[in-house]
Every structure is written in structure tokens, then in C-alpha cells.
Amino acid sequence: MKKIINNNRLLLYTGIVVLMVFFTVSCSGPEKGLKDIFSGYFYIGTAVNPFQLYEKDTLAKPFIAKHFNSITNENCLKWERVHPSPGVYNFAPADSMVAFGQRNNMFIVGHCLVWHSQTPKWVFEDSLGNPLTRDALLERMKDHIFTVVGRYKGKIGGWDVVNEAVGDDGRMRKSNWSEIIGDDFVQKAFEFAREADPGAELYYNDYNIELPGKREGAVTLLRNLMDNGVKIDGVGIQGHWHLESPALQVIDTSIKIFTDMGLKVLITELDVNVIPEPMGLIGAEISQNFEYQKLLNPYPESLPDSVQQKLAGRYTDLFNTFIKYKEGVGRVTFWGVHDGYSWKNNWPIRGRTTYPLLFDRNYQPKPAYNAVINTVKK
Ligand code: GLA
């Protein structure tokens, strides 16, 4: 009798264990990435580079595919890379980025078609080294846009058509483009891009356009374009920000101003720097100067917990603001996959160690990552 009771108990316990295992396996599914947590809000993107895509960093691709549903090339579609000399195009890196994005159902962003920087000198000169005429430069711009956008028609979903055309004073920036063509180079670039791929979203992208002053310049530029019948889909606020600046209210107001204009807002190059950025020292080499090292490279080994917490708090505020405008914010793209990939390690001073992103150099989530995911109401 006792034996029968024991056997029944054993059966019952075994049943319970089997059921528990079944529920655990069927309910958990694969672990969520950032992009899944923000589905229904906006795309979560990252800038990618060939080091990750050619698999030298073997951890990169699965990690990017897990957390991000949008990618932007960090460099390989900039003019100097994709079209380094007359008639010579180097599409291999962009081809592999696009293939990777397509394989993973990502929204792929091309950056950028017309910019004053990272554009070779020859673009503005004839074969004798004389400045091009307006018509000749327009022809060259059109040819470039048609070739690059045309190649990825239907694959690249959005283009930063013009990057940084507004100067820090809020007026149109003086550049080879504006000097030779005139300020309507912006309009022409959008028209060529629209013609090259009518289905792609087209953006104007710039830094500090959330700051009053420069913002007014950008608003004037965009309004004039729209009044002239140019169809622009969105404005990219780069978002190279700091722990304390710009003030949250400034970012909030700017997102509202741009979305009220009927433009989609994209946060295109987000990072939050935690070390000083002395602009007077661009390109400086500080490794031999001990005093400078301590002052300008304060965390060479690791980020103190107090600063991790500040960074997390800043990201909480930023994402709460993006979520507040989720109807108008289409994408938030981080400028780098993890801290080790950030350009801020080498700008404005080379060879420092900074921590502006959500993941550390070992692909581990930082407190800022948890802060960001906690902004989504479960
Ligand atoms: C600007 C450009 C980016 C990149 C960063 C620095 O924001 O738009 O492409 O060059 O500077 O890496």
C-alpha cells in the first residue's frame, strides 16, 4: 500500500516538473534586443563599419542583428570613400552593408550624398585644377547621386541627402558647394536624389540644429525648400551630446518645432560624451603630456560608477523625450555599436578612452542600457 502511494507521488512530482519545464521553454523565447523593446516606437539603429561587416570582429554581426533594426554606414558611402577619384567607384563595403541589412530585414540608411567634408578636392575642379562652373558641378553632383542612389534603389530606404549645410551662426555655411553652385545646391541635391529613387526617404542632416540660433537657420532652409515644392521626408538631428548639454528642454522644443513642420525627426548619430571636448585642441596628441592626460583623458581604465549613473540618467531623459514624440520620431541611431567603436575616442583629441554608448567594449550592457529599456512602459 505504502509503495503504491509513493509511486503516485513520484508520478505527480514528475508531472509537475515536466509542466514547469514546458512552460519555461515555451514562454521565454529568444532574448529580446533593444529593437524589440522599442518596436511600436521607432527604429533603433547603429552606425556600422567594414571591420564589423567583414567579420574581423566576429561578435559584431550577430550582436548588431540582435539589437538593431536599422543601420547607417559610418563612412563607406561618403564621397571620398565611395567615389575617391573621377570615374572610380568603390562599392564593395557598401554592398556588403546593404546585403547584411537586407538579410536581417533592416531599414538601411545611406550617409551622405552631399557634404562639405570628406569630399575630395577634385570634385570641385576640372582636369586642369581650375574651379568648376556651376553647371559643371551640378552635372557632377547629379552623376554621383544617380550612380550611388541608383545602385541601391529599393534597398537603401533613406538617404542623408545633404549633411551640415547650415553654419554654426545659423547662416548657410560657406563651402565649395555653396560658393560654386549657390545656396540652391541643397535643393538640387534633393531633386536629383528624388529622381534617382522616388521611393526612398530623403533627409536633411546636421549637428546642433536643436540649438536656438542654428535651429532657426535650419528651419528657414527647410521651409524655403518645402515652399519651393521640394519634398523632404525628415530632418536628422545628429545628437552628438554631452552629460549636461544641450538642456533637455532645448531638445524637446526642437523636436516639436520640426515635427510641427510635418517633418519626421530622426536622431541620426546619438552619443553622449562623458569626457571633455576642448575644441581648441582638435587633432592634438596628448599622450606625452601628463597634466593634459589627467585633465583630458580622465578615465583611461574604466568609467567610475558615479559617471555611469549620470550617463544612465541622461539617457533616461533623452529616451523619455523621444518617446514623448514617438509619433514624429522615426528612428534613433547610435553612432557606434559599442564604446570602443565611438569616434569620440579620437576626436577632437586622438587616443583617449570614452564611454558614450549603451554597450561597453566587451559588448556588455551598461547601466545606461537598462535605463533606456526602462523608459518603455511594460
Ligand atoms: C558628422 C558626420 C558623421 C561622422 C561624424 C564623426 O557628424 O555626419 O558622418 O563623420 O561627424 O564621426
Side-chain angles (χ1 to χ4, degrees):
M1 187 64 173
K2 205 167 166 210
K3 194 152 180 221
I4 293 176
I5 291 175
N6 275 346
N7 277 349
N8 283 346
R9 261 208 200 128
L10 193 67
L11 260 172
L12 184 69
Y13 291 154
T14 316
I16 290 172
V17 170
V18 168
L19 275 176
M20 279 168 62
V21 170
F22 173 77
F23 278 116
T24 318
V25 170
S26 62
C27 297
S28 57
E31 204 201 322
K32 283 186 175 176
L34 256 190
K35 65 172 188 338
D36 307 305
I37 292 160
F38 282 90
S39 75
Y41 290 78
F42 28 70
Y43 285 123
I44 299 287
T46 184
V48 294
N49 66 38
F51 193 76
Q52 298 147 355
L53 298 177
Y54 293 155
E55 298 192 62
K56 279 183 207 138
D57 175 350
T58 49
L59 298 177
K61 282 210 239 181
F63 184 86
I64 295 168
K66 172 177 171 187
H67 284 290
F68 303 99
N69 49 12
S70 174
I71 48 173
T72 305
N73 60 288
E74 188 168 354
N75 282 300
C76 68
L77 281 166
K78 291 176 180 170
W79 196 310
E80 67 176 12
R81 297 289 177 99
V82 72
H83 191 181
S85 40
V88 176
Y89 283 90
N90 174 21
F91 283 121
D95 283 356
S96 77
M97 170 184 95
V98 169
F100 171 72
Q102 285 198 299
R103 268 201 308 281
N104 291 286
N105 283 320
M106 292 169 164
F107 184 81
I108 307 168
V109 181
H111 169 82
C112 50
L113 296 169
V114 174
W115 189 22
H116 65 277
S117 179
Q118 293 190 257
T119 303
K121 207 160 140 274
W122 67 262
V123 173
F124 306 100
E125 295 173 349
D126 66 17
S127 53
L128 299 174
N130 299 314
L132 286 187
T133 61
R134 168 181 159 94
D135 284 349
L137 185 54
L138 279 173
E139 199 47 47
R140 190 162 279 174
M141 180 206 271
K142 179 177 180 181
D143 191 58
H144 176 84
I145 292 178
F146 270 50
T147 308
V148 176
V149 175
R151 183 177 183 92
Y152 301 111
K153 188 173 175 178
K155 297 179 178 169
I156 287 191
W159 282 97
D160 290 334
V161 178
V162 175
N163 200 30
E164 305 178 352
V166 179
D168 293 335
D169 58 3
R171 296 164 200 242
M172 290 298 286
R173 176 191 294 277
K174 292 226 169 315
S175 69
N176 285 324
W177 295 109
S178 68
E179 303 269 292
I180 298 175
I181 297 177
D183 289 344
D184 66 337
F185 82 89
V186 179
Q187 169 157 353
K188 293 291 180 194
F190 273 89
E191 287 170 357
F192 295 147
R194 181 66 67 200
E195 215 185 314
D197 185 355
E201 292 193 343
L202 304 183
Y203 318 123
Y204 175 72
N205 191 52
D206 210 333
Y207 66 89
N208 284 357
I209 45 169
E210 65 283 1
L211 303 185
K214 187 161 177 178
R215 180 179 63 214
E216 276 65 64
V219 167
T220 306
L221 169 69
L222 294 164
R223 249 195 224 302
N224 287 342
L225 289 168
M226 291 158 89
D227 288 348
N228 285 347
V230 179
K231 199 175 158 290
I232 300 181
D233 299 287
V235 57
I237 297 176
Q238 291 185 0
H240 295 299
W241 290 326
H242 307 92
L243 285 177
E244 318 280 349
S245 68
L248 198 63
Q249 193 50 50
V250 167
I251 297 171
D252 185 308
T253 307
S254 300
I255 296 178
K256 177 157 174 29
I257 288 175
F258 289 124
T259 52
D260 283 352
M261 290 172 72
L263 292 163
K264 208 181 254 194
V265 167
L266 304 314
I267 308 297
T268 52
E269 306 182 16
L270 182 59
D271 46 32
V272 175
N273 207 357
V274 296
I275 61 176
E277 276 187 23
M279 300 301 286
L281 293 174
I282 290 181
E285 172 55 76
I286 56 159
S287 59
Q288 303 306 316
N289 184 323
F290 185 67
E291 276 310 301
Y292 264 23
Q293 275 282 4
K294 271 182 59 180
L295 214 62
L296 300 176
N297 193 22
Y299 317 121
E301 304 300 336
S302 64
L303 192 62
D305 196 49
S306 58
V307 191
Q308 291 276 20
Q309 295 310 326
K310 273 195 199 156
L311 183 67
R314 177 69 162 156
Y315 268 113
T316 300
D317 292 345
L318 291 175
F319 271 76
N320 279 332
T321 308
F322 304 153
I323 287 173
K324 174 173 168 193
Y325 292 105
K326 69 177 180 355
E327 308 305 330
V329 172
R331 169 169 52 91
V332 177
T333 290
F334 292 88
W335 207 243
V337 176
H338 67 49
D339 286 341
Y341 281 113
S342 171
W343 68 300
K344 293 284 182 164
N345 292 297
N346 290 302
W347 193 94
I349 298 168
R350 279 176 285 124
R352 297 192 296 169
T353 308
T354 191
Y355 309 82
L357 299 165
L358 302 187
F359 300 99
D360 72 16
R361 287 165 168 77
N362 298 315
Y363 287 102
Q364 294 308 305
K366 295 157 58 179
Y369 172 83
N370 292 317
V372 163
I373 63 176
N374 284 334
T375 58
V376 174
K377 306 280 166 290
K378 311 276 168 1

